[in-house]
Every structure is written in structure tokens, then in C-alpha cells.
Amino acid sequence: MAWSSGGVAATMAAALVAALVALAGRASASPAEGIQPLSKIAVHKATVEIQSSAFVEATPSLLGEQGEDTEWVTVKYGWTDPSDDDWIGVFSPSEFNSSATCPNPWPAEEPYLCTAPIKYQFANYSENYIFWGKGSIRLQLINQRSDFSFALFTGGLDNPKLIAVSEPIAFKNPKAPVFPRLAQGKSHDEMTVTWTSGYDISEAYPFVEWGALLVAAAGAAAPPQQTTRAPAGTLTFNQGSMCGEPARTVGWRDPGFIHTAFLRDLWPNKEYYYRIGHELHDGSVVWGKPYSFRAPPSPGQKSLQRIIVFGDMGKAERDGSNEYAAYQPGSLNTTDALISDLDNYDIVFHIGDMPYANGYISQWDQFTAQVAPITARKPYMVASGNHERDWPDTAAFWDVEDSGGECGVPAETYYYYPAENRANFWYKVDYGMFRFCVADSEHDWRIGTPQYEFIEHCLSTVDRKHQPWLIFATHRVLGYSSNAWYAGEGSFEEPEGRENLQRLWQKYRVDIAYFGHVHNYERTCPMYQSQCMTSEKSHYSGTMNGTIFVVAGGGGCHLSSYTTAIPKWSIYRDHDFGFTKLTAFNHSSLLFEYMKSSDGKVYDSFTIHRDYRDVLRCVHDSCFPTTLAT
């Protein structure tokens, strides 16, 4: 790209400033909790003032020579007038001032920055930068379908001035298929594989090669003798799919193409090999990495079944960029804890608020890369959160701007979930002895709505003889939480939450209702109508007379505070990052555990021992209001 120090130093035109006035309100240099770090950069104020004494260099220039999808690069930079607020931005595509890459039709002759970087780091992160005027940092890049350049800015985040830009660097094959994401399909014998690439269907045919792994004499899995290819469908979205800024403006980045293949007629609990690929028109194939997964158990099947549930994880940068230490400090701890324990669980439920991209689309790629070691091996089921869906006048239940203009589109495209209508983010999952009813708290759930009908149908159609463990999950707290804000409202819940659903939970005897949104951990006693139905705290048995409510929103984003007064129904609270695990040993025994992300150790647990007759017994509001014939 051609950057000069002459007329290019003018500021952006006033008309362009007006177009991003809303972004200006969000931009801030202070590391406030809950603020998307990229929104702190006042892109609308950026000027181009190239300095002859300033430089930026990045090595190596070619990444992924051995097929890697993640690489570390060394960035060296400097100039004669260093300051504490100088910073390095990573841009992709590299020509971030080109009219071809701008999300709006800006006048090409104007000097401007039309897009936010995908990450940034302050120049003085390198020791002695201020003293020597030179620095060096290492940054981690993932393959994101385009090349990269590195830019040195002065003036801080509030008033950035571009003074130097590096030569571009790129992955060997920027279009390569990356970051596979497993999810259970609409039936128990179906697994889906979703991934991202730069290949449109006009360039290559996406597919998954797969087959059952053989069991060798020593018990180890051997490569399959026969494989088959499952074709994949392809989706994408464009700037016009976004509902507001920054997703429609400086946060926009082309998402590439998202492919999903369906692997059907799986044998329960059998190990399968798979590999994603794209067949080019000349017959050659661009392959992804090989992986394996275990097929789900059939509904009602008795086997050891272990399920992870958490929400609100977010993403973080292993290179320390983007100031995520103040935004999502526990994200990598949770991710790493789950990666290290892959052999000890079977499926994951992430109940909303995934990357907190908040309109900066590049962050969805970053998130899929972060969790790829999990999603490539285990079904990763997601729910819709406020930071995925909410935007005014888009039929969301909440009239807020939490999604940054995404209005659900990236979440509904990057991840597969077995909903009948992808825009209605509710679905059921049968996993052996479990049924999960996953609701969407960002759409109306109240009595008389389509979602209420789905919830009742999901809860009412499970056969508790064979699937005794019935779980409800959604993002916002529609049950109970002693979060300080809820307590201040006097409700301990989202407005109109449990009032509309508690009769269903009681009538159909839901074992556990899971929520996120509040960034901590809390567990209640078995409850109905704000009352504990037993004095027991850790071992539950006999007649089922209430639902246990769990807030598991401590996946990694900044923590939420509790009310100082502890309600009688609150059994355990932890102001820390963590996740939960359900282990079903058989049709009568369930173990619940809460682990901290920092060490993976168990800090709270309870057991349920119950026979089928204990579910059948009538308790208050659980049976029809009739009397038996005598």
C-alpha cells in the first residue's frame, strides 16, 4: 500500500465523523469493566501522519508453511519521539485504507481509517521502548482468510495518528479450512461438523471425510479401513446483514464461508475419524487436520455420561494484546482447564455470551480458534446471549444494544444448533439419560408465545423412565440469583422470568435449571415459588418436589457482585471463574460438581439419588388438579 507523509496527514472529513458519532460515545481509553477493548479506539478520529523516522517490521513474512493455522510473529518498531500511549495495531486485510476494504463507500481520495484493527498492544509493552525509541513484541495470529499488516500509532486510543505501517505478511494458504466445530444434530445418531474457510462453493466443494475407527487388539483406536464423504452446505453473511454499528461500520470484517456437514446413522458411543476438506475443480483436495469424536449415546442408554455447562466465557489473547486482562480475565483459564480434561467429559453446553465480539466481527474467528481444541473433539452446544442477539427494533425481547449491531447473525451462522428455525434459538438435545431443553432468553418466553409452547413440549415429551435427568438452560436468569443488581430490583430474577415458567418446571419436574448472564456461580436449594422444598443441602433423594437453580456465568468475563444479605435459598456462592459438570452414573444417580477454572478442583457438589417412582409422585402443582377414583 502507498502511505505518504504529505497531504495524507489531513483528518477525516466531517461527514465521516458524523457517520460514526455513536462509536465515539463508546470509545474510551480507560480500561472500564465490560467494555469491548476494540471499541476504545476512536477510529473515527484517526489521522494518517506517516513519519520518515518511524518503522514497523514483522517476521516471518510467510506463515503456516507446514499447514499451521496459528503462528507467532515478531514485530519490531520504533521512532524518534516515543511516548507512553503509542500502540501497535494488527490490521487484516493489510490494505486497511483501501476503498475496496472499507465497509462503507467512503471517498477514496480522503485519508481515513475505515476499519478497526483485529487486535492491538501498547508499544511500551516492550521494555525500554520509551528510553530507546525502539521495541519488539511477539503477537499470535490465526489464519483469517487474508493478509496482515502492523501499524504504529501515536496519540493514544483517543486521538490516534498513524505514523508507520509494515509490509504485509500472510499465511501460505489464507483460504484453508480451519477450526472445526462439532455439534449434535437433531437426532441422537447425527453429528454435525461446522468450519470456516475462504472457499466459496464456486471455487471448491466442501465435504467431510469420515469413518468408524477400528479397535485394535490392545484396545487402541486404529484408522478406519473405509471412509465416506459427507457434502457440506455453505453459508455466509454480509455487511447488510448487520443491524447497527460498529458491526455495519468499523467493526465489519468479511467472515469468509461457514460450512456444515451432517454425519448420520452413527453407532452409539463409537469412535469416529473425520477430516474436513475442499475439492478444487482440478480434483485436488485442500485438507484440514484429522480428528476423532465419540458418537452420542442413544436416548435412555445406560453408560457413564459427563456434561460440562457454563456461560459468559468470552475470549482472550495469549499474547497479552487487546487489554483483555481487564475484560475477560478468566477466559483462557476456563478454556485451558477444559482442554486439559478432554478425556473426562463428553459434551459441552455454552449457554450464551460467547466471544463478546459486540460488533467487531474479527473476534468470532478469534473465538473459534481459542475453543477449537475442544470443539474439534467434543460436541459444543451453544445458546443465545444478550451479547449475541440484542439490538433495538429487531424483535429481540430486550431493547438494548448489547450485540453491537450483530443482532444474532454471526452466532446463528458460525455455530450449528438443532433448532427448527435458526432465528429462533431454542432446541432440545437428547444425550443418553439426559434431556436438555435450551431456551432463548433474548426472545419472549412468556405464556402464549411460540417459545413457551416449545419449552412445554420439550419438557413434557421426555420419557423419565429412560431419561430421568431433565435439564432446562438459558442465558439470562429466569429463576433465582442473588446478584447485587437483581437484589436491588427486589426480584432476584429477570422481570417476568420465573413467574411464567415455574409452573412448567414444577409440573414436569425439572431437575436443574441453568442460567448464565450473571458472572459468578450460585446454587439454590430445590425450590418452588421462592421456597426451599427441603432442608437438605448436598444429598437429595426420594420424592422430587422442586428444581435446583444454578447460575454458571463465571466462564471468563469480568465478575459480578452479590448482594451482601444471603437469601435463605442460596446454598453456595463463589465470586470466581469456573464451570460445572454433570455426571450420570445410571438412571438413579447423578453427581453435580462446580470447579474453579484456575485449578480445575471441585469447590461445590451435590448428588441426586432417585427412582422412577419418586418422579411420578404428586407434589404441589405437579399433577392435574383431580382426585383419583376410589
Side-chain angles (χ1 to χ4, degrees):
M1 78 179 73
W3 299 92
S4 68
S5 58
V8 188
T11 59
M12 192 189 331
L16 307 183
V17 176
L20 288 175
V21 67
L23 179 66
R26 287 196 285 271
S28 170
S30 61
E33 280 192 344
I35 302 299
Q36 159 60 251
L38 295 177
S39 72
K40 301 174 188 177
I41 302 171
V43 179
H44 64 290
K45 293 182 179 179
T47 59
V48 181
E49 302 181 16
I50 299 298
Q51 302 295 316
S52 59
S53 64
F55 71 92
V56 186
E57 300 170 351
T59 54
S61 60
L62 183 62
L63 310 175
E65 290 192 77
Q66 304 302 317
E68 301 92 340
D69 51 36
T70 303
E71 286 271 32
W72 286 83
V73 300
T74 299
V75 182
K76 296 181 179 180
Y77 50 88
W79 80 303
T80 55
D81 189 20
S83 63
D84 286 335
D85 58 4
D86 293 351
W87 55 279
I88 296 289
V90 183
F91 289 85
S92 179
S94 62
E95 293 195 25
F96 54 93
N97 73 320
S98 166
S99 59
T101 60
C102 287
N104 284 323
W106 310 97
E109 68 275 7
E110 291 288 346
Y112 54 80
L113 298 185
C114 61
T115 184
I118 61 174
K119 64 169 65 178
Y120 68 92
Q121 180 58 275
F122 283 101
N124 62 10
Y125 192 78
S126 176
E127 190 175 357
N128 295 325
Y129 168 73
I130 300 301
F131 182 79
W132 294 108
K134 296 180 180 180
S136 176
I137 56 176
R138 297 190 73 225
L139 294 171
Q140 188 181 55
L141 300 182
I142 65 169
N143 195 343
Q144 286 184 266
R145 305 169 303 284
S146 190
D147 58 0
F148 305 84
S149 60
F150 302 80
L152 176 60
F153 289 84
T154 191
L157 305 181
D158 281 334
N159 192 28
K161 299 177 179 62
L162 176 63
I163 58 174
V165 182
S166 74
E167 292 296 318
I169 67 173
F171 278 82
K172 184 177 182 180
N173 180 10
K175 294 184 175 183
V178 290
F179 314 131
R181 308 180 281 280
L182 297 173
Q184 189 166 319
K186 291 183 179 179
S187 63
H188 70 277
D189 59 352
E190 179 180 73
M191 189 72 76
T192 68
V193 186
T194 300
W195 70 96
T196 308
S197 85
Y199 292 110
D200 194 358
I201 55 173
S202 62
E203 301 175 88
Y205 301 105
F207 66 92
V208 173
E209 179 185 76
W210 65 289
L213 289 170
L214 303 176
V215 179
Q225 292 181 337
Q226 291 185 329
T227 60
T228 187
R229 288 186 177 182
T234 298
L235 296 173
T236 189
F237 54 92
N238 55 39
Q239 178 195 350
S241 305
M242 304 292 97
C243 295
E245 58 181 358
R248 286 180 70 97
T249 54
V250 296
W252 171 252
R253 187 179 189 274
D254 191 304
F257 302 97
I258 293 89
H259 317 278
T260 299
F262 297 82
L263 316 185
R264 297 185 169 97
D265 299 323
L266 304 176
W267 290 28
N269 288 79
K270 194 169 185 62
E271 289 280 344
Y272 285 86
Y273 151 94
Y274 78 96
R275 183 166 56 155
I276 56 179
H278 292 261
E279 182 180 304
L280 304 177
H281 293 314
D282 63 3
S284 62
V285 175
V286 178
W287 292 105
K289 299 175 183 177
Y291 296 98
S292 65
F293 66 86
R294 182 183 294 273
S298 59
Q301 177 181 309
K302 178 185 175 182
S303 59
L304 183 66
Q305 295 157 17
R306 303 155 301 179
I307 297 176
I308 299 294
V309 186
F310 64 88
D312 306 81
M313 183 164 73
K315 60 164 288 288
E317 299 289 347
R318 295 189 185 277
D319 55 24
S321 61
N322 284 19
E323 290 189 305
Y324 270 98
Y327 186 47
Q328 291 158 359
S331 176
L332 288 179
N333 281 349
T334 299
T335 301
D336 291 345
L338 294 176
I339 292 173
S340 66
D341 203 36
L342 272 172
D343 293 335
N344 295 311
Y345 60 89
D346 305 301
I347 186 171
V348 175
F349 285 82
H350 185 157
I351 54 173
D353 283 8
M354 290 178 274
Y356 292 83
N358 295 4
Y360 292 87
I361 308 303
S362 65
Q363 304 307 288
W364 280 95
D365 285 321
Q366 303 287 334
F367 179 74
T368 60
Q370 177 177 306
V371 298
I374 305 168
T375 64
R377 294 279 312 281
K378 306 293 179 180
Y380 199 87
M381 313 306 298
V382 299
S384 179
N386 54 303
H387 286 278
E388 280 82 50
R389 179 61 181 86
D390 294 355
W391 191 256
D393 198 27
T394 60
F397 189 64
W398 309 95
D399 193 34
V400 293
E401 299 183 355
D402 294 353
S403 76
E406 294 178 11
C407 56
V409 175
E412 294 165 12
T413 309
Y414 273 95
Y415 283 84
Y416 176 83
Y417 46 95
E420 293 300 324
N421 180 342
R422 303 270 288 169
N424 296 336
F425 218 126
W426 53 78
Y427 60 92
K428 73 174 177 67
V429 173
D430 290 318
Y431 194 88
M433 295 177 284
F434 289 91
R435 169 166 288 185
F436 272 78
C437 297
V438 180
D440 180 0
S441 63
E442 310 315 299
H443 278 90
D444 199 343
W445 62 85
R446 293 173 296 180
I447 296 171
T449 62
Q451 182 168 199
Y452 183 91
E453 293 178 3
F454 156 77
I455 295 170
E456 181 159 28
H457 185 265
C458 184
L459 298 177
S460 65
T461 55
V462 61
D463 180 354
R464 300 299 286 275
K465 293 188 300 294
H466 304 296
Q467 291 179 278
W469 312 117
L470 182 56
I471 312 297
F472 175 87
T474 195
H475 179 64
R476 290 180 186 257
V477 179
L478 306 185
Y480 299 85
S481 165
S482 63
N483 168 259
W485 188 86
Y486 288 146
E489 294 292 301
S491 62
F492 296 106
E493 58 156 344
E494 292 286 359
E496 302 187 69
R498 60 179 178 267
E499 289 81 0
N500 285 268
L501 296 175
Q502 61 183 346
R503 290 285 181 115
L504 293 183
W505 296 328
Q506 182 76 349
K507 179 179 179 180
Y508 299 111
R509 301 166 175 85
V510 171
D511 292 284
I512 301 171
Y514 268 106
F515 310 101
H517 195 60
V518 173
H519 300 169
N520 54 38
Y521 168 75
E522 185 168 23
R523 168 173 69 94
T524 75
C525 58
M527 295 184 69
Y528 182 52
Q529 293 184 337
S530 302
Q531 300 296 318
C532 286
M533 305 306 290
T534 176
S535 60
E536 181 54 67
K537 297 181 184 296
S538 58
H539 303 285
Y540 304 106
S541 61
T543 302
M544 183 181 179
N545 53 13
T547 296
I548 297 170
F549 296 89
V550 174
V551 173
C557 198
H558 62 279
L559 294 169
S560 303
S561 59
Y562 299 102
T563 179
T564 54
I566 303 176
K568 292 182 179 180
W569 41 258
S570 182
I571 301 299
Y572 193 97
R573 307 194 303 187
D574 189 36
H575 189 258
D576 204 349
F577 303 107
F579 53 93
T580 70
K581 183 178 181 180
L582 296 170
T583 303
F585 299 100
N586 51 50
H587 291 80
S588 301
S589 300
L590 179 71
L591 170 65
F592 171 98
E593 297 171 295
Y594 162 70
M595 291 99 150
K596 286 183 186 289
S597 300
S598 56
D599 57 17
K601 294 181 179 179
V602 176
Y603 285 80
D604 182 36
S605 66
F606 64 84
T607 58
I608 300 176
H609 296 282
R610 189 170 57 235
D611 294 325
Y612 180 48
R613 64 177 182 175
D614 299 321
V615 180
L616 292 178
R617 287 175 179 151
C618 293
V619 295
H620 187 66
D621 284 344
S622 70
C623 294
F624 289 103
T626 59
T627 55
L628 295 175
T630 58

